[in-house]
Amino acid sequence: CHEGHGKEKITELLRFLDGYVVFHFGEEEKLMQHYGYPGIASHQHEHTSFINRLQHLKQNIDAQGPTQTLVTQTVRMLLNWIVKHIKSVDLELGAFLKPRIAAP
């Protein structure tokens, strides 16, 4: 963004995320279900919420083009996801799964 490439790259980024999150979330949810993760409903809700926000951004970009506002919203959404979900919710899931997956 600082180098002026945000608008060019946003569509590419959203296209990548669209495929990646479906695969990644699906795999994560299979593990949660298989190992009986007690927080599965809340975790799945966060995944669904992220996918909905991603779809909303894509629709806005399709309708308006990659405006600076939409680029900024996308970056903020991703940073928020990293900080709030990956660094807390996913770490919690990892702590739950680690001893179960490592056990013979």
Side-chain angles (χ1 to χ4, degrees):
C1 286
H2 293 293
E3 296 174 2
H5 301 289
K7 290 181 181 181
E8 298 169 18
K9 298 292 182 178
I10 197 70
T11 303
E12 182 181 326
L13 172 64
L14 291 174
R15 194 175 309 122
F16 165 78
L17 284 173
D18 202 25
Y20 175 77
V21 298
V22 169
F23 172 77
H24 176 76
F25 291 171
E27 293 299 306
E28 225 177 57
E29 291 174 11
K30 284 180 198 173
L31 287 171
M32 287 188 281
Q33 188 170 13
H34 179 77
Y35 289 100
Y37 183 58
I40 189 171
S42 172
H43 205 118
Q44 285 175 317
H45 176 74
E46 288 199 23
H47 286 172
T48 300
S49 178
F50 181 83
I51 290 169
N52 289 340
R53 288 192 312 265
L54 185 62
Q55 293 304 320
H56 182 72
L57 279 171
K58 284 174 46 183
Q59 289 170 352
N60 286 339
I61 288 172
D62 287 345
Q64 302 170 31
T67 66
Q68 184 62 42
T69 300
L70 292 174
V71 170
T72 301
Q73 287 176 356
T74 303
V75 170
R76 283 186 182 150
M77 181 187 81
L78 294 175
L79 289 174
N80 183 49
W81 182 258
I82 290 167
V83 171
K84 290 190 176 176
H85 183 84
I86 295 173
K87 289 189 141 195
S88 65
V89 177
D90 278 348
L91 283 178
E92 234 176 75
L93 172 61
F96 174 84
L97 292 174
K98 187 175 180 179
R100 288 158 178 84
I101 292 175

